[in-house]
Amino acid sequence: MNTTEIFLIAMTIIFTVPYLIWRLGGTDYYAPLVVVQIITGILLGPGILGRVFPDYYSFVFNPAVVQSLNGIAWWAVMLFVCIAGIELDLKKAWAHRRESSITAGLALGMPLLFGCLAAAALLAVDGWMGPKALTWQFVLGIGMACAVTALPILILLMEKLDVLRQPIGQRILRYASLDDIAIWGVLALILMDWERVGKQVAFLLAFALFGYGFRQLMRWLGERDRWYVALIWLAVCSFGADWAGLHFMVGAFLAGAIMEAEWFDQTQMDLLRHHVLLVIMPVFFLSTGLRTNWTMGGEAVFVAAGLLLVASVAGKLIGVHLAGRILKWAPGEASIIGWLLQTKALIMIIFANILLDKQIITSEAFTALLLMAIASTMLTVPVVAPKLARLKELIFRTS
């Protein structure tokens, strides 16, 4: 078979296997399709499929096919991260700045601290820190991975729970939006390359200058043209960030963050996010699964994942409960908000991919982070749904 035919076989597998698991297994309550796709990516990776059927794995996922899949995966995740940037609503966060800053700060700071402590524990064993990492980069990177809240997945889960458009849902979006900015800011710090600091400063200055012109242009254009120009802007910013050594996904987030959601029809934006998840993000999940590694042994990876999961969930819940005490929330409110904010999945996986690309973590550490992200996301709906059923009046609290 030629490369095109093998590529199409791979695409068939990518879309068929997770769909059948999700639909026939009825997993939607605890594992939405997006989570099943991530799990399937791990199953199809070298550590599982590659070990059980090495000849089949090397035939389907040969270097030429993987290179083609990676190109699709890069564009998929750039679009997804850009949409997440566009959907940041800092105006509402500013209007409720005391409550938002206290909650977002503690919701990010406590799991960051717990995650850094877990990373320090991992340093006691060789094989987790990447060859190009400084100790502080590894510790801060793992800590931030434990603190991440996946805004796009959070939106999907709150839609499922029917709270997205309710006051509590809008409050949670404000907290997650502030944390999202902090996450990308810390990532930029971790990726700061002092040998290329001139390029990085040049990129940021150019981004500020051209960003101002871009915003003026977008206000002048009609909505139809804005969609096309936004895609051009996304490609240019991603190229600039990667050229400067900050990684193309940092550029994709900046490209979206500088745009206003009101420039676009919200229904069309929701459809775009849905279609990106449906049509091309499964390829990113597969390419992510291909990067997993169990060389240190499955037991060690699962122990590390468990340690990171405890640090992530406990840190997030403690931080939000502290915020609830300061802001005098009703009983049970902090628990609901804390469990929703510990949702990981996509953004943490994107974050971990960048750390792996820059060799700050090893593929074994990446696998442990991936397992932690899946487990934390799968816990959310089963834990939150019964709490919401018992405390329905909290849904309508505005602060």
Side-chain angles (χ1 to χ4, degrees):
M1 292 187 183
N2 59 40
T3 300
T4 302
E5 292 168 344
I6 300 173
F7 170 80
L8 293 174
I9 290 174
M11 291 292 284
T12 302
I13 293 170
I14 289 168
F15 284 93
T16 303
V17 176
Y19 172 75
L20 291 177
I21 294 172
W22 172 71
R23 177 54 69 195
L24 299 180
T27 68
D28 203 43
Y29 181 70
Y30 56 89
L33 179 57
V34 62
V35 174
V36 176
Q37 288 168 335
I38 296 168
I39 295 172
T40 305
I42 296 174
L43 296 175
L44 295 176
I48 297 178
L49 180 66
R51 182 170 296 179
V52 178
F53 301 107
D55 293 338
Y56 177 77
Y57 176 84
S58 60
F59 169 72
V60 175
F61 299 111
N62 63 63
V65 170
V66 170
Q67 185 177 13
S68 300
L69 293 173
N70 283 342
I72 298 173
W74 294 340
W75 184 242
V77 77
M78 285 163 59
L79 281 170
F80 200 83
V81 169
C82 182
I83 293 169
I86 293 172
E87 291 179 331
L88 290 177
D89 192 347
L90 299 182
K91 292 178 181 177
K92 289 183 179 178
W94 178 253
H96 302 269
R97 51 191 173 274
R98 179 178 178 271
E99 173 219 354
S100 297
S101 59
I102 289 172
T103 307
L106 288 169
L108 183 75
M110 290 304 294
L112 173 60
L113 173 62
F114 281 38
C116 287
L117 293 174
L122 291 179
L123 284 173
V125 180
D126 291 334
W128 302 109
M129 188 167 77
K132 292 188 177 180
L134 299 174
T135 300
W136 73 267
Q137 291 176 311
F138 173 79
V139 170
L140 184 57
I142 294 293
M144 188 53 73
C146 291
V148 166
T149 294
L151 186 59
I153 297 301
L154 178 62
I155 290 171
L156 292 177
L157 295 184
M158 288 200 297
E159 283 180 335
K160 183 187 296 293
L161 294 166
D162 293 324
V163 298
L164 178 61
R165 305 302 176 191
Q166 302 299 334
I168 193 172
Q170 295 303 298
R171 288 168 56 201
I172 293 170
L173 287 182
R174 292 201 305 269
Y175 311 147
S177 295
L178 289 177
D179 284 350
D180 229 20
I181 293 174
I183 288 160
W184 290 99
V186 170
L187 179 62
L189 174 64
I190 293 172
L191 298 181
M192 184 65 71
D193 184 347
W194 296 108
E195 294 180 359
R196 290 195 284 179
V197 69
K199 279 188 172 183
Q200 292 173 343
V201 171
F203 164 72
L204 293 174
L205 290 174
F207 175 78
L209 177 64
F210 287 102
Y212 175 80
F214 170 76
R215 287 177 60 85
Q216 301 306 311
L217 175 63
M218 290 291 276
R219 290 191 180 100
W220 178 76
L221 291 173
E223 185 179 351
R224 181 180 180 183
D225 291 306
R226 285 173 181 165
W227 290 101
Y228 291 101
V229 174
L231 292 176
I232 297 169
W233 174 247
L234 167 61
V236 170
C237 289
S238 300
F239 167 77
D242 211 67
W243 168 82
L246 289 174
H247 204 277
F248 65 86
M249 283 192 249
V250 174
F253 176 77
L254 290 174
I258 204 173
M259 292 189 236
E260 301 285 348
E262 62 195 33
W263 291 346
F264 307 95
D265 180 84
Q266 186 60 53
T267 302
Q268 290 190 13
M269 184 62 70
D270 291 342
L271 282 173
L272 176 60
R273 183 181 356 98
H274 169 77
H275 290 147
V276 169
L277 273 171
L278 174 69
V279 177
I280 53 178
M281 279 302 284
V283 180
F284 170 71
F285 301 140
L286 185 278
S287 68
T288 296
L290 296 181
R291 310 181 79 176
T292 54
N293 194 320
W294 309 84
T295 302
M296 293 183 67
E299 183 178 339
V301 172
F302 276 104
V303 168
L307 174 65
L308 296 171
L309 180 63
V310 170
S312 172
V313 175
K316 191 72 73 174
L317 292 177
I318 290 171
V320 176
H321 274 84
L322 286 174
R325 283 178 174 269
I326 294 170
L327 298 169
K328 297 180 173 56
W329 289 347
E333 193 169 1
S335 180
I336 291 172
I337 294 173
W339 276 103
L340 284 169
L341 285 177
Q342 65 82 36
T343 300
K344 295 275 184 286
L346 285 183
I347 298 301
M348 203 235 64
I349 293 170
I350 292 168
F351 187 88
N353 266 282
I354 297 173
L355 297 181
L356 182 61
D357 283 343
K358 296 298 181 179
Q359 298 185 54
I360 292 169
I361 60 174
T362 62
S363 53
E364 291 86 356
F366 173 78
T367 304
L369 286 171
L370 193 60
L371 293 174
M372 181 268 281
I374 292 169
S376 68
T377 305
M378 290 178 67
L379 286 170
T380 304
V381 172
V383 172
V384 172
K387 291 178 180 291
L388 283 174
R390 292 195 303 269
L391 303 167
K392 289 184 179 179
E393 69 276 5
L394 296 180
I395 296 175
F396 304 103
R397 276 177 57 91
T398 57
S399 62

